[in-house]
Amino acid sequence: MDLLFELMNATAETLYMVLLSGSLAFILGLPLGVLLFVTRPNKLLPHPLLNRCLAMLINITRSIPFIILMVAIIPLTRLLVGTSIGTNAAIVPLSLAAIPFFARMVENSLNELSPGLIEAGQAMGASSFQLIQAILLAEARPGIINSLTITLINLVAYSAMAGAVGGGGLGDLAIRYGYQRFDMGVMLATIVILIAFVQGIQYVGDRWVKRVSH
């Protein structure tokens, strides 16, 4: 019974970490991805220097393996949440890993749109804000939703790795009970739940994409 409670608690912790860090990635990564796109040369708001700086920052962040990122930003994590262990602490590196990843995915989704959409909007006298809101984001919704789906799936894997350094969740349970106590039953249970998370996220994401596609 105690082990079942631990399993349920770890599942809730993983869900909490993924949803909260995924929400932060969406809230901050979406405008960042749009900014990356519109500041490109020959786009709506061309600004080569800003674009290069943002792209460099994103590329550097994405180049750092997640397990190293978690350790490297421990001082920042302590500053923000007051501790470097637990689910709340894990959300900091999870978000920092997910935001640039999602931003780059959003930029790619916008880049796949036809340039004629922007030209048509400009011909109708739409402002830059109106073009971004009513045309770019509206037309790129399927790609953005698919990007969010991939980001959440990556966060499931990252949350499991967070357990290696005291991040809580299913990864922590698998290490403490499955690995250290050689309990293959616990290890198998955590794997099954993680697979269920990924399958559920992919299913919801695919259905959502079909619903908004036109």
Side-chain angles (χ1 to χ4, degrees), residues 74-136:
I74 283 178
L76 176 62
T77 302
R78 285 177 177 162
L79 178 65
L80 293 176
V81 298
T83 181
S84 61
I85 58 174
T87 53
N88 288 329
I91 287 171
V92 177
L94 284 172
S95 300
L96 287 180
I99 289 169
F101 177 82
F102 181 65
R104 185 64 81 181
M105 296 284 285
V106 169
E107 181 196 16
N108 291 337
S109 297
L110 294 172
N111 198 45
E112 291 174 358
L113 297 178
S114 171
L117 292 171
I118 297 177
E119 295 173 0
Q122 290 173 331
M124 291 186 291
S127 65
S128 296
F129 179 78
Q130 289 172 329
L131 284 169
I132 293 171
Q133 183 183 34
I135 296 179
L136 292 180

Side-chain angles (χ1 to χ4, degrees), residues 27-106:
I27 293 170
L28 300 177
L30 180 61
L32 182 57
V34 172
L35 189 61
L36 275 171
F37 176 78
V38 299
T39 56
R40 281 183 171 190
N42 303 319
K43 296 300 181 183
L44 285 176
L45 303 169
H47 198 304
L49 179 59
L50 176 60
N51 186 270
R52 285 197 297 269
C53 290
L54 288 175
M56 184 181 299
L57 180 62
I58 286 175
N59 290 338
I60 290 173
T61 306
R62 292 182 59 197
S63 300
I64 304 173
F66 178 71
I67 195 70
I68 296 177
L69 178 66
M70 284 195 69
V71 176
I73 65 167
I74 283 178
L76 176 62
T77 302
R78 285 177 177 162
L79 178 65
L80 293 176
V81 298
T83 181
S84 61
I85 58 174
T87 53
N88 288 329
I91 287 171
V92 177
L94 284 172
S95 300
L96 287 180
I99 289 169
F101 177 82
F102 181 65
R104 185 64 81 181
M105 296 284 285
V106 169

Side-chain angles (χ1 to χ4, degrees), residues 169-180:
L170 290 167
D172 179 58
L173 183 70
I175 291 173
R176 286 190 295 112
Y177 286 88
Y179 176 72
Q180 295 178 352

